[in-house]
Amino acid sequence: MEEEEIEKAVIAYLKRKGFRQTELALQEEQSKNLSTPKTDPDIAKQILSFSEVESVPARYREGYSTLRSWTYNSLDLYKHELLRVLYPVFIHCYMDLVAKGYSQEARNFFNSFREDHELVHLRDLQKLEGILSPSHLEENEFARSLRHNKVNIRICQYSYDLLLQYLQKSESMIMLGIINERINFRVSPGQPGSFTDDADVVSLMGSSNDIAKQVNQKEVHWGKRSAEGGKSGTLAKKVKKDKIVGATGKSIRSEASTVSVAPRVKSELALPVRSTEVEQALLEDLRYRAALGSSALPSVSFYTFINTHNSLNCSAISSDGSLVAGGFSDSSLKVWDISKQDNAEGDVESAHSEASAGLEGKRPYTLFQGHAGPIYSAAFSPLGDFILTASADSTVRLWSTKLKANLVCYKGHNYPVWDVQFSPVGQYFASSSHDRTARIWSMDRIQPLRIMAGHLSDVDCVQWHANCNYIATGSSDKTVRLWDVQSGECVRMFIGHRSMVLSMAMSPDGRYMASGDEDGMIMMWDLSTGRCVTPLMGHSSCVWTLAFSCEGSLLASGSADCTVKLWDVTASTKIPKAEEKGNSASRLRSLKTLPTKATPVYALRFSRRNLLFAAGVLSK
């Protein structure tokens, strides 16, 4: 009788897994052999227990709860590695229950243990909690990728042996089945490493990590833009001479020596020629540029919007800080000329109160109207004579700050446009959208020159490289990508963020890139290798804006936690290996935290003289 039950259990398993040929072969063999051989008692017990537990929802809760208790009670030296197993087991237990039609049991299981994983995987859990039927598993892109790919987990040999011993003793067939089928262990010899936030500790096979390894093998020319011929060549020579004989020459040379000398790279784009007046203004700014470093922090000018009634979505500051723009939910753009105001603070406050009261008198700002939806991003051209805006109406508009009028409406995106940025030389700009693409435009053409497609979710932010040959995009899919402007090809893929990427900044030498996410984490990337140099931890909420100082020695970050933080880039990018393997707190290279009373920071901008401008809206 027991042999018949075993045969039925095996055939039922083969049917369930779709092994049709194996099932037919087994049935044919059974029909030929009338006398069935005796099955080993231990194997028979395992087969029968497996067939029983597969149909009992309570066994999933029991198996996971026991595994969870064992993991949390394990030795501290190995606990952080063993805890990595819980999350993939948890989500596959939940999805297995849903797939078998136990919706209510799956919901109860999910709610009972979700708190264990919310800190790190909150956004993933939010995607999964709406799955309540087998059809949802196929419709949901995230769930489908989880069920069709294994999870890679890095673990040391001893932790792996401990886990195998537990599974053998517990005889939990469900947990053993899920771990065998859904997890691929990358076992390393020796003792476990220190606790780390690196993304490749737990990753999905056949997905972003594997693609990133292939993409990151491509060559990237990360140096500065070379100045070629004519006036630009003359300016380059003058700048070099000015750095040597300038009034602050000694401090500039000492600071520059700490930053790596960047190679010169020819820009593949046709760049505009600068006028003599512009070059003279640039030289004047270079002569008076403050040399910044860990012992010489920048002065900060903060512009605060008040009485906005929660309608301000974005802010932008011109390169010299004389113009401040705000994009609003009522589809309007307002630009304040700070240089024409005697008492900037008083006038800005009265401007907002006047706007909120709806008075028809002379406005202290210039009002630009034309969009048909909320404005989500604004960006000034390098010289401040133009401003771009991106809107929910799927368009990008170009405005003239001198003519105070709309010049062009660029149509190409199919959904709301989240961000727009001018190139370092003007003329070209890039936009990013809910349609999962980024596009490169020229001011004199109404159609995009390039379309960058590849992200799996919204492209939330975009940033140009210093030499104009690349653009970087940050997405809700938690990745940052670097694209070649000429070919439209992805040449780098950066994986490490645990939430959507909201802001980016490029170092002036073009070697490093900083990206900030929704959880307050900032990651510094080396573009030549595609690796994270160091995570910068300190913000407690979304990092909305990032900016490098002109020589690249400092990074400023602005957050929804109402602070501006200054980071030492030279120290953060040169951490000794011995120190990096130690306590992760040693990675934090924050020089100073500048708190506001109650003003989330929307925008940061270093002027050419290294004065830091910031803007935000009073939230109380």
Side-chain angles (χ1 to χ4, degrees):
M1 186 65 181
E2 188 182 65
E3 295 298 326
E4 292 179 5
E5 291 178 359
I6 291 172
E7 290 175 3
K8 288 179 181 178
V10 171
I11 290 174
Y13 175 82
L14 294 174
K15 281 184 179 178
R16 190 164 53 251
K17 294 296 180 181
F19 300 137
R20 180 63 180 164
Q21 292 181 351
T22 309
E23 179 192 347
L24 293 173
L26 179 62
Q27 289 176 342
E28 185 179 348
E29 187 177 332
Q30 287 174 349
S31 62
K32 289 179 180 178
N33 301 327
L34 298 176
S35 59
T36 55
K38 187 72 174 176
T39 308
D40 184 273
D42 291 336
I43 297 176
K45 181 182 176 183
Q46 297 282 5
I47 293 173
L48 292 174
S49 62
F50 183 75
S51 63
E52 289 173 6
V53 299
E54 275 221 318
S55 59
V56 182
R59 295 295 179 91
Y60 281 89
R61 175 184 286 270
E62 180 186 336
Y64 178 78
S65 181
T66 307
L67 175 63
R68 177 177 175 272
S69 300
W70 173 81
T71 304
Y72 277 104
N73 292 325
S74 57
L75 292 173
D76 290 343
L77 183 62
Y78 307 102
K79 185 190 293 186
H80 70 276
E81 285 198 337
L82 294 171
L83 284 172
R84 295 169 189 165
V85 178
L86 288 183
Y87 176 66
V89 172
F90 166 73
I91 56 176
H92 281 294
C93 282
Y94 171 67
M95 289 191 292
D96 283 356
L97 286 171
V98 171
K100 292 174 181 177
Y102 301 110
S103 299
Q104 188 57 48
E105 290 84 351
R107 172 60 49 206
N108 294 337
F109 174 82
F110 187 84
N111 292 333
S112 298
F113 301 107
R114 67 174 295 167
E115 287 185 4
D116 296 345
H117 312 287
E118 283 184 337
L119 183 63
V120 177
H121 303 285
L122 178 60
R123 292 186 66 83
D124 291 347
L125 296 177
Q126 289 171 346
K127 293 177 184 177
L128 291 172
E129 66 181 345
I131 297 174
L132 299 173
S133 70
S135 61
H136 292 169
L137 289 172
E138 290 303 317
E139 294 167 2
N140 187 292
E141 185 178 341
F142 178 62
R144 193 166 61 248
S145 67
L146 287 173
R147 287 178 69 80
H148 292 173
N149 295 284
K150 282 191 173 184
V151 176
N152 283 322
I153 294 182
R154 221 167 57 197
I155 196 171
C156 79
Q157 183 66 52
Y158 194 74
S159 298
Y160 183 65
D161 292 339
L162 286 175
L163 180 62
L164 290 182
Q165 288 174 20
Y166 164 77
L167 292 172
Q168 190 174 3
K169 290 178 181 177
S170 66
E171 297 183 353
S172 177
M173 297 304 296
I174 289 183
M175 295 300 103
L176 182 61
I178 289 175
I179 290 172
N180 269 334
E181 192 174 353
R182 306 295 187 181
I183 299 177
N184 177 54
F185 289 101
R186 291 180 174 176
V187 182
S188 58
Q191 293 295 312
S194 60
F195 177 78
T196 177
D197 283 322
D198 293 345
D200 56 353
V201 167
V202 180
S203 59
L204 207 61
M205 281 183 69
S207 61
S208 301
N209 273 64
D210 297 323
I211 297 170
K213 286 180 181 178
Q214 297 176 2
V215 170
N216 292 349
Q217 293 175 358
K218 298 175 183 177
E219 188 177 6
V220 169
H221 303 286
W222 54 266
K224 289 183 178 179
R225 185 177 69 258
S226 62
E228 294 185 345
K231 298 174 182 176
S232 298
T234 306
L235 175 61
K237 293 175 183 177
K238 287 182 179 179
V239 170
K240 187 174 181 181
K241 183 179 179 182
D242 192 57
K243 283 187 176 180
I244 298 173
V245 300
T248 56
K250 289 185 179 179
S251 58
I252 291 175
R253 284 198 302 274
S254 63
E255 190 65 45
S257 64
T258 63
V259 183
S260 60
V261 178
R264 294 287 175 174
V265 177
K266 180 183 176 182
S267 177
E268 298 295 334
L269 294 175
L271 303 180
V273 178
R274 289 191 290 251
S275 65
T276 305
E277 292 79 8
V278 171
E279 290 200 348
Q280 289 176 347
L282 291 174
L283 283 172
E284 188 73 11
D285 287 335
L286 288 172
R287 287 192 182 98
Y288 292 100
R289 175 180 291 176
L292 303 180
S294 57
S295 58
L297 300 182
S299 300
V300 184
S301 177
F302 201 106
Y303 301 124
T304 303
F305 291 82
I306 61 173
N307 299 329
T308 61
H309 307 293
N310 295 322
S311 65
L312 182 72
N313 294 328
C314 62
S315 178
I317 306 167
S318 62
S319 58
D320 60 358
S322 62
L323 299 176
V324 180
F328 293 84
S329 295
D330 62 1
S331 75
S332 67
L333 173 73
K334 298 175 183 177
V335 179
W336 284 262
D337 191 340
I338 305 299
S339 62
K340 293 181 180 179
Q341 298 185 14
D342 296 327
N343 182 1
E345 184 179 353
D347 282 349
V348 171
E349 289 187 13
S350 63
H352 286 285
S353 60
E354 183 180 331
S356 63
L359 300 179
E360 293 296 331
K362 186 179 178 182
R363 296 191 184 100
Y365 57 83
T366 302
L367 178 65
F368 296 92
Q369 291 180 310
H371 280 294
I375 295 175
Y376 292 127
S377 179
F380 282 99
S381 63
L383 301 179
D385 47 352
F386 300 104
I387 185 170
L388 286 165
T389 53
S391 171
D393 63 9
S394 307
T395 67
V396 175
R397 286 182 180 265
L398 178 70
W399 314 81
S400 171
T401 55
K402 294 180 179 178
L403 301 176
K404 299 181 180 180
N406 180 223
L407 303 179
V408 189
C409 178
Y410 302 95
K411 298 179 180 179
H413 287 290
N414 302 318
Y415 290 95
V417 186
W418 300 131
D419 194 20
V420 64
Q421 293 293 331
F422 264 109
S423 70
V425 296
Q427 182 64 30
Y428 302 97
F429 62 93
S431 60
S432 62
S433 169
H434 177 57
D435 62 13
R436 304 182 183 183
T437 68
R439 300 175 189 232
I440 295 176
W441 311 72
S442 178
M443 288 170 59
D444 57 354
R445 297 175 183 269
I446 60 171
Q447 297 297 327
L449 305 178
R450 293 287 184 275
I451 299 176
M452 280 68 176
H455 279 292
L456 304 178
S457 188
D458 295 37
V459 184
D460 298 301
C461 53
V462 64
Q463 189 61 250
W464 282 84
H465 190 270
N467 61 26
C468 297
N469 288 334
Y470 307 97
I471 65 165
T473 54
S475 170
S476 294
D477 65 11
K478 308 176 190 176
T479 68
V480 177
R481 295 180 186 232
L482 190 72
W483 308 82
D484 188 298
V485 168
Q486 276 297 319
S487 65
E489 185 182 15
C490 179
V491 293
R492 284 290 181 273
M493 189 172 177
F494 306 96
I495 299 174
H497 285 286
R498 297 297 180 90
S499 58
M500 61 194 296
V501 182
L502 300 176
S503 56
M504 292 183 298
M506 290 283 184
S507 64
D509 64 1
R511 179 173 184 179
Y512 298 108
M513 176 179 66
S515 57
D517 64 26
E518 191 181 31
D519 293 338
M521 172 75 76
I522 301 169
M523 304 197 83
M524 188 78 71
W525 307 95
D526 188 329
L527 297 187
S528 59
T529 63
R531 294 183 178 275
C532 176
V533 179
T534 177
L536 304 175
M537 295 167 283
H539 284 295
S540 59
S541 189
C542 311
V543 179
W544 280 337
T545 178
L546 293 165
F548 277 94
S549 61
C550 293
E551 71 288 341
S553 61
L554 296 181
L555 173 69
S557 60
S559 170
D561 63 9
C562 303
T563 64
V564 174
K565 287 183 179 289
L566 299 173
W567 309 85
D568 188 351
V569 174
T570 54
S572 298
T573 53
K574 296 180 181 180
I575 297 176
K577 289 186 177 180
E579 186 179 335
E580 192 174 11
K581 290 179 181 178
N583 189 358
S584 60
S586 64
R587 295 178 173 183
L588 184 61
R589 300 288 173 174
S590 177
L591 295 175
K592 193 173 184 64
T593 299
L594 306 170
T596 64
K597 289 182 179 178
T599 306
V601 185
Y602 280 28
L604 290 172
R605 179 79 178 258
F606 275 96
S607 72
R608 287 190 289 267
R609 300 188 182 189
N610 265 341
L611 173 64
L612 178 58
F613 295 103
V617 58
L618 189 68
S619 58
K620 290 184 180 178

